[in-house]
Amino acid sequence: METVFYISAAIAVLSTLMVVTRRNAVHALLYLIVSLLAVAVILFVLGGPMVAVLEVIVYAGAIMVLFVFVIIVLNIGHEAVRQERQWLRPGNWIGPALLTGVLAAELVYILAGRAAGVASGEQVSPAALGASLFGPYVLGVEMASLLLLAALVGAYHLGRRTTTRQEQGSDGIDKR
Amino acid sequence: MISILRSIWLVFLHALHRRVTVQYPEQAIRRPPRFRGRIILSRDPDGGERCVACYLCAAACPVDCIALQAAQDEHGRRYPAFFRINFSRCIFCGFCEDACPTYAIQLTPDFEMSEARRQEMVYEKEDLTISGPGKYPGYNFYRVAGLAIAGKGKGQAENEQPPSDPKTLLP
Amino acid sequence: MSPTAVYLVTIFGLLIAVFTLSAGLIWYERRLLALFQDRYGPNRVGPFGLLQSVADIVKIFFKEDWVPPFADKPVFVIAPAVIIVATLMSFGVVAFAPGVMVSDLNVGLLFFLAMSSMGAYGVALAGWSSNNKYSLLGGLRAAAQVISYEVFMGLSLMGVVMMAGSFNLVRIVQAQERMWFFLPQLVGMAVFMVAGFAETFRIPFDLPEAENELVAGFHTEYSGMKFAFFFLGEYIGISLVSAMLVILFFGGWLGPVLPPLAWFFIKTFIFISFFILVRGSLPRPRFDQLMAYGWKVMLPLSLANLVVTAGILLWRRS
C-alpha cells in the first residue's frame, strides 16, 4: 500500500509541475486532471474511499469539465501560446519559486520531526463520513452551503438576460 | 410524455409486422409482364428474322445506343447486316420497342446482366437474337404487310386487301 | 488457484466478455433496428450475419489510421482511449452474480458515477483536439450535456441508496430480495434511464454527434482504430448503463430457477434492446430543448423523488 501511495504522490507532484509549465491551456488542464486523480488515489490509500470518489466526481468530473468547456469556448490559439511563453521567462517565475521553496523546506522540516502516519488502512465508511459531516462539522457544512447559494444567486444575477419579455417569448425556447 | 411512450410502443409493434425486404438472389423478384429489361431481337413464327433494318429504333433511341447496318438478300428482303446495342448506355426506356414496325425489337423482364468488363456490355446481333417470336406469337410482318416478296404478291396475304391505286380517285 | 490468479482470470474474462459482447452488440443493434423497421439487417456474413462484427473489425483494422496535420496530436490520440478506459473502469464494480465481480467496493455506486463523468473528457477533448469547427461544437455540446445530466443522474440514485442503506452494489441487490426497487423508485428509474441515454450519447440525446448538422460531431476527424474505439466505447456504455439499471432497480441477479448469472444477462439484454428500440423510435431534440428538459423537468423530478423517499423512510422508521 505504501508503494502505491508514493507512486501516486510522485505522479501528483510531477503532474502539478507540468500544469504550471505547460504553454497550451488544454494540456495544462489535462495534467491538472491527472494530478486530481492521483490525489484521489492517495485518499483511497489513506482509507477514505468515499472522499476519493467524491473528489473524482466533483473536481475531476464536474469542475474540470467546466474548465475544459470554458477554454474551448474561449478558443485559445497560437497567440495565447506565444503570450504564455513570454510569461514563463525565468525572470517572471524565479522570485515566487524561491519563496515557495522556502515554504516547502519549512513544511518538510516540520513533517520530518513527526512519526510517519501513512496508510492506516482503516476505511472510513460513507455512513461515518455523513455522521461526522452532519454532527460535529454541521456548522462548516451549513456555512459552505450558504456560500455556494450566494455564489449561485450571484451567478444567476450576472448571467441574467437583459432582453425584454417579448423577445424571450419568440426565441423558440420550450414553452411547456 | 404519453406521445413519446406511444411512439416507442408503435415502433415496437413493427417487430411483429411482415418484413418488406426481398432476399433477392435466393428469392425471386416478382416482375410485371411489361417490365423493361434486357432487349432482344425476335423471330417470325417461321424462324426468319423480323427486323427489316428500318433504323426507326436507332432514330428513337434517346441515348444513341443502337447501331445497325441495313442489307438486302437476293429476294430483296431487308435485314440488318449487324445490329449492336451498347447496354452500358441503354436506359431501358422502351422507345425502340414502340418505334419498331415489325415487333422485332422487344424488352424482356430480365435485368441480371452485370459484366466485369465494360466491353462485354456491347451486345451483337447473335447475342440479341432469340429463337422465338417473343411477346407476339403468330405475328408475321410480311404476311400482313403490303409488300411483294418471294412467293407472294402485294395484297395476297391473308387478312390483307389488295393495294389501293393512288393514281385514281375511285374507291 | 491462488486468490491472485482467480482475480486475474476474472479481470481478463470480464475484459474479453465485454469487448466481444460490445462488438456483437453492433450486429445486434443493426438486426434489431431492422426488425423494428420491417427489414432484415445484416444477415449475409456467417449464420444470421453473426460474423458481421468480425468483418467490420477486420475492415477497420486495415483502414488508414490518420491524424490530421492541424490536430493537437497527443490529445487527439488520448481522447478515444479515455472513453474506453472510463467505461471499462466502471465494469470493475458491476456485481454480475454473488462472487462474480472484480472489486466489491463499498462506494461502488459512487465509483460508477465518477467514471461516467470522466467519460465526458474523451468526447470533449476529441472535439477540441480535432481543430475542426463541427468537432468543436460536438465537444462543447458533450461537455455541457454531461455536466447537466450527471447532476440528476446522481440525485436519482440517492433514493435507491437510502432504501438499501449502502453505496455497495452487492448490498443494493441484496436489499431487493423482497421487492425490486423499480416499483417504489419508479420516478428515480425513469430519471436514471433518461440520464443514461444522455451520458452515453445515445440517439434521443446524441447531439454531440448529430450527423445531420455537425457532420459526425466530435469524431468527424477520426478514422480506423480510433474511430472504432469511439464506436466500441458507445456500446460498452450502453451495456454498462443497462447493467446498472438491472442492479439498481431490477434486482440484479435475483430470479427464480435459472442461475444468477443467467438472470443478470437476460435482464441486461432486455434493457440493451430497449435502448435500441428507443433509438429506432425517437427523434433528436434541439439543444436548448435538451437543456430545458434536463434542468426544468428532470432535476425537480429527481429532487422531489429524493425528498418523498426520505420522508416515507423516516415516517416508517418512527
Side-chain angles (χ1 to χ4, degrees), chain C residues 124-135:
Chain C
L125 291 174
W128 176 79
S129 65
S130 297
N131 225 342
N132 166 324
K133 54 179 173 277
Y134 297 116
S135 302

Side-chain angles (χ1 to χ4, degrees), chain C residues 258-279:
Chain C
L258 291 173
L261 209 56
W263 270 113
F264 185 85
F265 279 113
I266 289 169
K267 290 175 187 173
T268 308
F269 251 89
I270 289 173
F271 282 102
I272 291 174
S273 311
F274 183 72
F275 263 64
I276 294 165
L277 170 61
V278 169
R279 174 182 176 169

Side-chain angles (χ1 to χ4, degrees), chain A residues 55-78:
Chain A
E55 158 130 355
V56 177
I57 293 179
V58 175
Y59 285 97
I63 294 180
M64 283 300 124
V65 174
L66 272 181
F67 274 41
V68 170
F69 184 86
V70 168
I71 284 178
I72 290 176
V73 170
L74 288 180
N75 191 17
I76 290 170
H78 299 290

Side-chain angles (χ1 to χ4, degrees), chain B residues 94-116:
Chain B
F95 285 4
C96 48
E97 186 175 14
D98 282 352
C100 185
T102 65
Y103 292 149
I105 192 163
Q106 293 176 8
L107 275 73
T108 60
D110 178 27
F111 61 94
E112 294 163 327
M113 42 195 309
S114 53
E115 298 284 352

Side-chain angles (χ1 to χ4, degrees), chain B residues 2 6-7 11 23 29 31 36 47 56 66 89 93 95 97 104 113 117 128 137-140 148 158 160 162 169:
Chain B
I2 299 293
R6 180 171 169 273
S7 52
V11 171
Q23 294 288 311
I29 292 179
R31 279 151 294 166
R36 298 199 304 265
L56 278 177
I66 302 176
R89 303 195 70 176
C93 60
F95 285 4
E97 186 175 14
M113 42 195 309
R117 295 194 312 127
L128 293 166
Y139 176 79
N140 190 333
E158 59 177 300
E160 190 183 357
L169 291 170

